[in-house]
Amino acid sequence: MIKKFDKKDEESGSGSNPFQHLEKSAVLQEARIFNETPINPRRCLHILTKIIYLLNQGEHFGTTEATEAFFAMTRLFQSNDQTLRRMCYLTIKEMANISEDVIIVTSSLTKDMTGKEDVYRGPAIRALCRITDTTMLQAIERYMKQAIVDKVPSVSSSALVSSLHMVKMSYDVVKRWVNEAQEAASSDNIMVQYHALGLLYHLRKNDRLAVSKMLNKFTKSGLKSPFAYCMLIRIASRLLEETEGGHDSPLFDFIESCLRNKHEMVVYEAASAIVHMPNCTARELAPAVSVLQLFCSSPKAALRYAAVRTLNKVAMKHPSAVTACNLDLENLITDSNRSIATLAITTLLKTGSESSVDRLMKQISSFVSEISDEFKVVVVQAISALCQKYPRKHSVMMNFLSNMLRDDGGFEYKRAIVDCIIGIIEENPESKETGLAHLCEFIEDCEHTVLATKILHLLGREGPRTPSPSKYIRFIFNRVVLESEAVRAAAVSALAKFGAQNDDLLPSVLVLMQRCMMDSDDEVRDRATFYMNVLQQKQKALNAAYIFNGLSVSIPGLEKSLHQYTLEPSEKPFDMKTVPLATTPITEQKTEMAPVASSKLPEKLAPSRQDIYQEQLAAIPEFQGLGPLFKSSEPVQLTEAETEYVVRCIKHTFANHMVFQFDCTNTLNDQLLQKVVVQMEPSEAYEVVQYVPAASLPYSQPGSCYCLVRLPEDDPTAVSCTFSCTMKYLVRDCDPNTGEPDDDGYDDEYVLEDLEVTVADHIQKVLKPNFAAAWEEVGDEFEKEETFALSSVRTLDEAVGNIISFLGMQPCERSDKVPENKNSHVLFLAGVFRGGHDVLVRSRLALADGVTMQVTVRSGEETVVDVILASVG
Amino acid sequence: MDFMALEPSLYTVKAVLILDNDGNRLLSKYYDPQLYPSIKEQRNFEKNVFNKSHKADNEIAFLEGMTIVYKSSIDVFFYVVGSTQENELMLMMVLNCLFESLSQILRKNVEKRFLLDNMDGVFLVVDEIIDGGVILESDPQQVVQKVNYRPVSEQAYGFVLFDYITGNVEGQGDRSLRGAL
């Protein structure tokens, strides 16, 4: 890179670089003059500089050549030229990992570090520690201890910092220097103080008591160094977080007092620490917010940036706390630093009123092309939050987003926009058509396969239900012609959905399918052939089952079942009903996304929670032969949080049995529990078949015991039951310190709370993306309808929530969201009943003096319908 | 990630860069071994940083998940890089200290030519300010005093005379060549 002839530089004439055309071999050749006597310090200095420059440019030095140069360099210690000596130290540090036998300079460095020349001592210590390993460290330990408490600040600082670097390598040795570090911490020099504090914390950070003592001491004595104050604030807030100390603790007072420090750096650190504390009240935030507000008008860009960035974070959790700063933020939206302007605008978008949205959006679009991708993502996130807050503003947003979508940008940025548009479409039915149109335009020229397939999937789901579905066909078919395999396959699936739902489009879709069957890729051809044949049948039920709603089984489960089937081939065909169902992800928790592209980690297809349970249960011999696991419930607490024993229960449902898994934790450190069993007394005709005890339950190590129960066969409608539970066990007292148990034990028992089994435990949630098609598919053979009055319920939202949690079924078509200001609503629920029977529930709700509910249930099995209606009643 | 509090530590600075007005590296120090371990990644990062910063003197930017404070002088750009959770003002202190110290040893001539002529001094200054990512010194006066460096350009004529008297012809040639440029 250096060797390259730089034309531009040559032409400009100015700024010539004396290092421009350096050749490593020539420089190493020159390094031979290190061996000449007398030493010419100035020339040697120049050559050393060249070597360091080359190393810094990333030039590769072979071990032999590096070692040769290094050994030649050692001769330069004979010279007394200060700068030359200092450059030797630098060379040693730079070459420590490249050259061999660097330890030969140990004695020279030790001499310099203990010598009379103070200028040499600090740098010599740092160079020495760089080449020292654990075994060598013992030899210089005495010098290090002396250096730490040396009265020359640079020596002490160098020793402290080098010790810190060496903690990773030789913790045990450095630990012995705690007393010296303690002494250094009371030094008058601000840097020594800071370094000593850093080292002390690093050595003690695992000992909470020691850290808290240290904090106590330094917060009282007061430090001079602003750096040390920042460090103390960080330690204090970390300790507060770990101990979950209340905000009335002296640590919090200390942090708050730092808001009045004379150094801006400390004030900002304190404000930032308070803002980042979990569960901070508005009153506690107020002083921090007001200092940040002051910083907003600082002439220093870094300070304005820091302030507005922190306010932006506050606005995510406590928008009202930031409203006071709106005026100051307004002044920043024209800041010449675009990062500051962007942060100010996104903060205002969170705190401002609906009326200011248009103005802010206009402002931001004037410079959106100037800011970095990271900030664009921040902007998009702010918009997406805004859309949820002010749904009526969607047209402004949509316009803005589509403009952004047309601009250049990386994958993360585009993905954020696409996600945001999809979010808006799902929230606002009115925006659906414009949103889809923008997305169609985007996939016409989209280099990201993931986004293209995602959009195609969305088009397939939403497109057929728009007033004019035919206009999407062109966009989709273009993909089949132009794109990669994955996109083509997705496009074929989307096309099929149009054909299945719109009869007038079916002939054209079939023609297009025919073309796709000639595709060069297997997957695309297979899909086209499959859909072609299904579509030609023109049967609603087939369409629903194979085109709209797809498989609802868990993929890892299917893989396992098929593998099992191939191992033990049988006469019977493979039965899909034996495959465990996919648990619908409990609404993806919207993680508060940091503006950082943190999603660099590849998203692995993690086995679901249920697959893990399936595996665990299958490993227990008693539970073999129960068939596939149908459903696992969320854990139910059977004890209060702060009791001697903590027990929670997970209900696993199988085709004809239930297994109750009790996760028990013993919180008494002087007891060892053995043979732990939870005895269950059912209220109905449930029969307890077997107990599987937990062999031993030492202090604070959770263990599981199980209970197997057979479901009543003669009365399939008996779906709910109450069990009274008692934990029985053998107690052996033990030494709290060693955990050594006594020889004898005694039996004891502990009464737990009752456990309820409800209808929800028998139904697995299944998402039907197209509820109407599924409704038709099941048919009205076993349809039943009944009307109920829910007198205690006051709002539709509450009623919907209650029904969903009671039946444990999956709301479809986003019908779990009740539009505002309506007094009637239809809720669609889908699920699979134990045994593999599809169940669909349509529930019409009307609000008037309580809620009236008309429930219609369809299923392939009559008893299932009865069970549901009976349990609702 | 952004919400996680920073582990209290002295390791503040992730990298220090000095680039010229074409974005070429004059000096770069990466203190976090996990951050851009290969020279190729480093060059990429430097290119990216330069492209984002050379047009406007904005002092601070957020890039590739890091906070970057910067400053330029004639045809040189100085950067200090830290984690996003890092106190921006601390990074700013480091940047100011670096700039002030160099400005002093170069007698206010902070430009590429003088910087390169005194590269040894530049290396020593950086070494005195940051050690392995820890801020060693933040006061420019202290740094200049510790480095105790005499710049080349200022006393060039004195040296030429000295070289002439002592008959160091090569050193003389070196100087006059520099003077011509």
Side-chain angles (χ1 to χ4, degrees), chain A residues 300-373:
Chain A
K300 294 180 200 157
L303 196 50
R304 292 198 303 274
Y305 175 89
V308 70
R309 192 173 70 98
T310 314
L311 284 175
N312 192 13
K313 270 180 213 155
V314 183
M316 286 181 190
K317 278 188 269 175
H318 307 276
S320 55
V322 188
T323 336
C325 310
N326 275 2
L327 211 60
D328 306 79
L329 291 169
E330 287 279 352
N331 291 331
L332 292 181
I333 60 179
T334 48
D335 201 294
S336 65
N337 185 327
R338 295 312 190 197
S339 309
I340 296 178
T342 314
L343 284 169
I345 292 178
T346 49
T347 313
L348 280 172
L349 287 176
K350 290 183 193 109
T351 62
S353 61
E354 189 164 357
S355 55
S356 60
V357 168
D358 291 302
R359 190 170 51 85
L360 291 171
M361 297 299 282
K362 206 167 179 183
Q363 181 75 32
I364 203 167
S365 47
S366 66
F367 63 78
V368 74
S369 56
E370 292 172 46
I371 57 179
S372 66
D373 263 19

Side-chain angles (χ1 to χ4, degrees), chain A residues 550-568:
Chain A
L551 286 177
S552 56
V553 295
S554 116
I555 301 295
L558 178 62
E559 187 188 341
K560 230 171 279 167
S561 306
L562 283 173
H563 182 66
Q564 197 63 36
Y565 186 76
T566 51
L567 288 182
E568 299 159 9

Side-chain angles (χ1 to χ4, degrees), chain A residues 313-535:
Chain A
K313 270 180 213 155
V314 183
M316 286 181 190
K317 278 188 269 175
H318 307 276
S320 55
V322 188
T323 336
C325 310
N326 275 2
L327 211 60
D328 306 79
L329 291 169
E330 287 279 352
N331 291 331
L332 292 181
I333 60 179
T334 48
D335 201 294
S336 65
N337 185 327
R338 295 312 190 197
S339 309
I340 296 178
T342 314
L343 284 169
I345 292 178
T346 49
T347 313
L348 280 172
L349 287 176
K350 290 183 193 109
T351 62
S353 61
E354 189 164 357
S355 55
S356 60
V357 168
D358 291 302
R359 190 170 51 85
L360 291 171
M361 297 299 282
K362 206 167 179 183
Q363 181 75 32
I364 203 167
S365 47
S366 66
F367 63 78
V368 74
S369 56
E370 292 172 46
I371 57 179
S372 66
D373 263 19
E374 279 92 343
F375 272 113
K376 288 180 186 166
V377 175
V378 175
V379 174
V380 175
Q381 282 163 0
I383 294 176
S384 123
L386 203 61
C387 290
Q388 279 166 12
K389 201 163 141 201
Y390 304 122
R392 275 183 293 161
K393 284 284 165 199
H394 67 82
S395 61
V396 187
M397 311 289 172
M398 196 60 102
N399 230 332
F400 183 73
L401 287 171
S402 69
N403 283 332
M404 285 174 102
L405 205 50
R406 278 186 214 120
D407 291 340
D408 292 336
F411 172 66
E412 288 300 331
Y413 171 47
K414 297 282 174 175
R415 186 170 73 171
I417 303 177
V418 169
D419 285 347
C420 183
I421 294 185
I422 294 178
I424 299 178
I425 293 176
E426 288 180 348
E427 296 292 327
N428 301 283
E430 313 102 84
S431 65
K432 191 190 279 178
E433 278 198 71
T434 35
L436 288 180
H438 291 314
L439 292 176
C440 280
E441 187 192 327
F442 174 61
I443 53 168
E444 283 287 86
D445 182 21
C446 169
E447 57 195 316
H448 310 292
T449 311
V450 184
L451 293 182
T453 47
K454 187 168 186 171
I455 293 172
L456 283 169
H457 181 73
L458 180 81
L459 283 178
R461 207 176 66 206
E462 301 291 342
R465 283 185 264 176
T466 55
S468 51
S470 58
K471 68 178 173 195
Y472 300 107
I473 301 269
R474 180 172 64 87
F475 291 103
I476 298 175
F477 192 67
N478 278 350
R479 307 278 70 72
V480 181
V481 185
L482 299 167
E483 300 276 355
S484 64
E485 293 82 9
V487 181
R488 294 207 300 271
V492 168
S493 302
L495 272 183
K497 286 180 189 154
F498 279 85
Q501 199 145 336
N502 304 88
D503 289 334
D504 45 336
L505 287 179
L506 184 61
S508 350
V509 168
L510 286 176
V511 172
L512 296 176
M513 276 298 170
Q514 203 108 44
R515 298 256 290 274
C516 300
M517 283 162 69
M518 256 96 77
D519 197 279
S520 59
D521 182 71
D522 289 348
E523 174 70 22
V524 182
R525 266 199 321 272
D526 289 351
R527 283 198 192 189
T529 316
F530 174 73
Y531 289 132
M532 180 85 185
N533 285 309
V534 174
L535 287 173

Side-chain angles (χ1 to χ4, degrees), chain B:
Chain B
M1 169 177 165
D2 204 36
F3 286 87
M4 252 157 38
L6 207 58
E7 160 92 355
S9 143
L10 293 187
Y11 294 97
T12 310
V13 181
K14 285 191 181 287
V16 170
L17 316 173
I18 304 179
L19 307 179
D20 72 4
N21 55 344
D22 293 319
N24 295 318
R25 170 193 288 197
L26 299 180
L27 179 152
S28 349
K29 282 277 190 190
Y30 290 81
Y31 298 108
D32 182 350
Q34 269 126 47
L35 182 79
Y36 311 118
S38 80
I39 190 84
K40 203 177 148 205
E41 290 167 287
Q42 293 180 0
R43 296 257 175 201
N44 248 335
F45 172 67
E46 284 159 29
K47 210 173 104 193
N48 201 351
V49 166
F50 181 74
N51 288 340
K52 288 284 177 211
S53 61
H54 74 284
K55 277 177 239 145
D57 201 2
N58 275 337
E59 198 172 305
I60 186 158
F62 170 66
L63 210 71
E64 304 197 11
M66 273 167 307
T67 301
I68 298 166
V69 293
Y70 59 99
K71 202 180 182 84
S72 68
S73 168
I74 310 179
D75 52 0
V76 228
F77 291 79
F78 300 89
Y79 302 87
V80 174
V81 182
S83 126
T84 28
Q85 296 101 316
E86 193 48 75
N87 189 326
E88 288 87 348
L89 304 180
M90 249 191 212
L91 299 176
M92 212 56 209
M93 287 264 285
V94 176
L95 180 70
N96 283 334
C97 177
L98 173 68
F99 188 83
E100 286 301 314
S101 311
L102 288 177
S103 172
Q104 282 197 36
I105 69 159
L106 300 174
R107 309 277 146 100
K108 300 238 172 5
N109 299 312
V110 185
E111 56 183 296
K112 183 178 169 187
R113 190 158 59 103
F114 293 102
L115 205 75
L116 284 168
D117 281 345
N118 297 288
M119 208 55 203
D120 39 358
V122 179
F123 283 126
L124 291 176
V125 163
V126 173
D127 181 63
E128 278 300 342
I129 299 175
I130 306 150
D131 186 273
V134 178
I135 305 173
L136 198 59
E137 182 53 73
S138 62
D139 177 3
Q141 295 306 333
Q142 290 290 326
V143 173
V144 172
Q145 200 185 333
K146 283 185 199 167
V147 170
N148 190 19
Y149 180 81
R150 287 178 310 273
V152 172
S153 42
E154 193 73 3
Q155 288 149 355
Y157 295 109
F159 269 111
V160 172
L161 189 63
F162 178 77
D163 286 340
Y164 182 72
I165 293 165
T166 54
N168 185 347
V169 185
E170 207 214 38
Q172 197 181 348
D174 205 48
R175 299 268 155 232
S176 50
L177 186 73
R178 241 177 240 176
L181 289 166

Side-chain angles (χ1 to χ4, degrees), chain A residues 592-605:
Chain A
E592 287 184 54
M593 277 188 286
V596 188
S598 54
S599 49
K600 275 177 191 160
L601 306 165
E603 286 169 31
K604 260 193 233 160
L605 187 70

